[in-house]
Amino acid sequence: MEGRWRWPAIAAVMLMLLTVPPIAIAAVRTPPLAVFSGYVVVARDAYVYQALWRQGWHGAWLFHSPYSAEWLPGILLYPWYLWPAHILGWIPGPWLYHVERLAAAAALLTALWLLTAELFRPRLIRRWAMVLCSLGGGIGVLLPQLTLGPLVFRASEMQSPGSSVADLVAMAPHLPWAMALMCWAFVVGLRLRRRLLFSELISGWLAVIGLQLVYPQLALLAVGVLGGWALINSERRALRYAAASGALQLPYLGYLWWTWRITPDTFSVVRTSLDVGDPVGFLVLSHLGASALIVVALWRRRLRGDLLLPALWIAGMTLFMFAPGLSRTLGRSFMASSIPFGLCATPGLLSLLRGIRAMPWRRRVAAFALGVSSLYGVFSLAQPYWIGALRLDSRAEYESRAEALILQRLQPLVSARDVVLTTYLDGIFVPAQTDARAFAGHPEMTIDAARKAAEANAFFSSWTEAQRITFLRANHIDYVLAPDAAASARLQADPSLRRVDQTAGLALFMVRP
């Protein structure tokens, strides 16, 4: 047992450790008069989760968008952030974020190794599969878009991140957690081919329930894949497991449907799909090496039996992503697509190598195939280094020291009922560092974000006093945070505002009653 886990443990630790230095690099590169947020990869999204942890620490069990002035009914979303925060919310956001992220990455890589162990017996084959799954990807970094006459194909990973495991382990904690739960649900289903402990069966159902609370579409996909695989292979126990897993999802799906019917605006702050390109870009540009090996596996008739499970996973996620109607609500199913592609590519690689007699050529072909298939994974691990070193996302990675001080002093004075008006990007910081809501902040969490961002800019740059006071009253604004010295000077004489704080040119105003 110890020897079997040595290689995956070392590989997992190395992969996770590679995600840590970019944080230190970005901290060292902090500009003068700025403070480092603690986030490098998708830093804007990280502030959302920090804001949710604040809500949970202050007793929230249901989700309210902290980036919209509208007060909507609470809904059972983001429990993976809200509920643990009741105990852990006292930990500073960046520390909690990265500890949870590394723990989730460890869980995902462990579940992935267990999944490969269920599908492949030889240890070397498992290692190939692990590499293909963890670092999998295509040539999108070299050819993000392919134009063939009137047709334009786009690589999915260059439109929205998260298609590779190497990409996920550096992102928000709930993403690797979701994929770890999905992999474990598949492991339990495969283990039902033989006698299974009842506790393992329960853990599989709990994994499906947990996955549903993160991404309901992935839970539906998992049940569909398990059910299809069990039906084709006449695995009755696995089919009953899939049916029970589907039944467990009905209460929450019914709750979401009922909430949407009663208060549809509640879901206006939740983005259910992403731009993931097109089927050709997804299957070819985004997974070129794996897709070529899958063709070999199909030609040699190696995709059968248990390997139908990852094959159905690919078919299901492609359907969810691109089928008209489904893609609008189920489009996020592309997460960690490198896993099923890697699992299906492994028998293709094995078949290819068996056709080569000379051992040196076998090694060369194996290295070339693994290298081509791992191109995007290596890119994903390297990208945070130059983001931090070159400050490519400086507006989100760093906050002005003056703004941080003002928000620190504002924090004891506000609650979730208070709304702060500031410009679009500055609004991202407000709920993450205070209990107040922002009039406009994160684009996916702000109702009608484009209109509100334009209104905020006009408020600080061109509106008259009459326009500003009408706007403040209509939107129930409590505080105004001027983003620069020019805006501060312009608002100084506004009779509807009273300056309550000022630091290095930035000013905070309270709206007069």
Side-chain angles (χ1 to χ4, degrees):
M1 178 68 71
E2 182 180 349
R4 188 180 68 179
W5 278 98
R6 184 180 295 113
W7 185 89
I10 294 173
V13 170
M14 290 177 60
L15 186 63
M16 290 187 294
L17 287 179
L18 285 173
T19 68
V20 176
I23 304 167
I25 293 172
V28 171
R29 295 278 294 153
T30 303
L33 304 180
V35 292
F36 176 49
S37 67
Y39 310 116
V40 176
V41 179
V42 199
R44 288 169 175 81
D45 290 349
Y47 287 108
V48 174
Y49 310 126
Q50 184 172 323
L52 294 180
W53 277 322
R54 291 191 66 91
Q55 290 184 350
W57 178 241
H58 288 87
W61 293 96
L62 299 177
F63 167 72
H64 294 271
S65 174
Y67 294 101
S68 280
E70 296 87 349
W71 186 261
L72 300 173
I75 183 174
L76 183 54
L77 290 175
Y78 299 101
W80 283 87
Y81 290 99
L82 288 170
W83 295 356
H86 285 257
I87 300 174
L88 303 174
W90 58 272
I91 302 174
W95 285 98
L96 183 56
Y97 181 90
H98 291 298
V99 169
E100 285 202 7
R101 177 182 63 78
L102 292 172
L108 170 56
L109 294 169
T110 300
L112 180 54
W113 178 253
L114 292 172
L115 181 58
T116 61
E118 291 296 325
L119 295 173
F120 307 105
R121 289 187 178 275
R123 187 174 301 177
L124 180 60
I125 306 297
R126 294 181 190 176
R127 293 178 181 179
W128 284 347
M130 191 72 174
V131 172
L132 289 168
C133 292
S134 301
L135 301 179
I139 58 171
V141 294
L142 302 177
L143 190 65
Q145 182 173 296
L146 176 63
T147 302
L148 298 175
L151 301 176
V152 178
F153 305 111
R154 297 174 298 157
S156 298
E157 75 274 17
M158 305 311 292
Q159 305 298 315
S160 298
S163 64
S164 176
V165 169
D167 204 7
L168 285 183
V169 296
M171 296 172 67
H174 71 282
L175 299 173
W177 271 125
M179 298 317 305
L181 294 171
M182 191 170 186
C183 287
W184 178 249
F186 288 147
V187 169
V188 172
L190 290 167
R191 286 183 176 178
L192 283 167
R193 296 166 300 183
R194 54 189 184 273
R195 188 173 297 277
L196 185 73
L197 294 175
F198 184 68
S199 59
E200 289 183 298
L201 183 61
I202 295 298
S203 71
W205 283 328
L206 291 176
V208 172
I209 295 173
L211 177 60
Q212 184 185 36
L213 292 175
V214 183
Y215 284 125
Q217 61 269 49
L218 287 181
L220 287 173
L221 177 61
V223 168
V225 169
L226 278 167
W229 167 79
L231 191 62
I232 293 172
N233 290 285
S234 300
E235 296 284 351
R236 293 184 179 180
R237 286 188 291 181
L239 188 59
R240 290 194 292 268
Y241 166 67
S245 299
L248 289 172
Q249 295 183 54
L250 293 178
Y252 186 61
L253 292 175
Y255 163 77
L256 293 178
W257 178 84
W258 176 80
T259 304
W260 175 76
R261 288 295 304 271
I262 300 300
T263 54
D265 287 344
T266 304
F267 290 93
S268 59
V269 293
V270 179
R271 189 174 181 181
T272 56
S273 63
L274 298 172
D275 181 6
V276 290
D278 53 85
V280 174
F282 176 66
L283 297 172
V284 179
L285 297 180
S286 297
H287 299 94
L288 179 62
S291 294
L293 292 173
I294 290 172
V295 171
V296 174
L298 289 170
W299 176 44
R300 297 292 181 88
R301 298 181 180 179
R302 298 293 184 181
L303 285 183
R304 58 177 184 239
D306 293 341
L307 288 172
L308 285 175
L309 189 145
L312 290 172
W313 187 352
I314 294 173
M317 70 166 57
T318 305
L319 178 68
F320 279 19
M321 289 165 61
F322 302 111
L326 291 179
S327 60
R328 295 186 61 184
T329 55
L330 304 176
R332 286 181 180 262
S333 58
F334 74 97
M335 292 293 177
S337 57
S338 65
I339 296 177
F341 275 91
L343 294 174
C344 289
T346 300
L349 177 59
L350 182 61
S351 298
L352 187 65
L353 295 178
R354 283 176 175 172
I356 302 173
R357 294 185 178 182
M359 185 59 66
W361 277 103
R362 281 191 180 186
R363 292 171 180 166
R364 293 188 188 104
V365 171
F368 178 78
L370 292 173
V372 170
S373 298
S374 301
L375 178 63
Y376 180 67
V378 174
F379 169 82
S380 298
L381 292 172
Q383 187 182 35
Y385 284 83
W386 64 71
I387 291 176
L390 302 178
R391 297 194 295 225
L392 298 182
D393 194 18
S394 60
R395 293 290 305 281
E397 289 178 82
Y398 307 104
E399 181 186 16
S400 74
R401 191 176 301 277
E403 182 178 84
L405 289 173
I406 287 177
L407 292 179
Q408 183 180 2
R409 293 193 287 260
L410 176 64
Q411 156 54 25
L413 307 176
V414 294
S415 69
R417 290 287 177 181
D418 295 299
V419 178
V420 177
L421 170 67
T422 187
T423 52
Y424 152 70
L425 191 56
D426 292 284
I428 295 178
F429 298 105
V430 173
Q433 298 172 12
T434 75
D435 296 329
R437 290 175 291 139
F439 170 76
H442 195 280
E444 294 179 15
M445 291 275 180
T446 303
I447 298 174
D448 202 358
R451 174 184 62 83
K452 288 182 176 179
E455 288 177 342
N457 289 331
F459 180 93
F460 290 110
S461 61
S462 59
W463 278 357
T464 64
E465 290 181 2
Q467 288 176 305
R468 287 199 294 264
I469 192 170
T470 300
F471 172 80
L472 294 171
R473 298 287 184 265
N475 292 282
H476 308 289
I477 307 295
D478 299 286
Y479 291 90
V480 175
L481 176 59
D484 51 50
S488 300
R490 194 168 191 275
L491 299 179
Q492 193 68 44
D494 193 318
S496 62
L497 301 174
R498 178 171 64 88
R499 192 184 69 190
V500 294
D501 200 350
Q502 185 171 7
T503 301
L506 299 188
L508 177 69
F509 299 88
M510 176 184 287
V511 179
R512 297 182 187 273

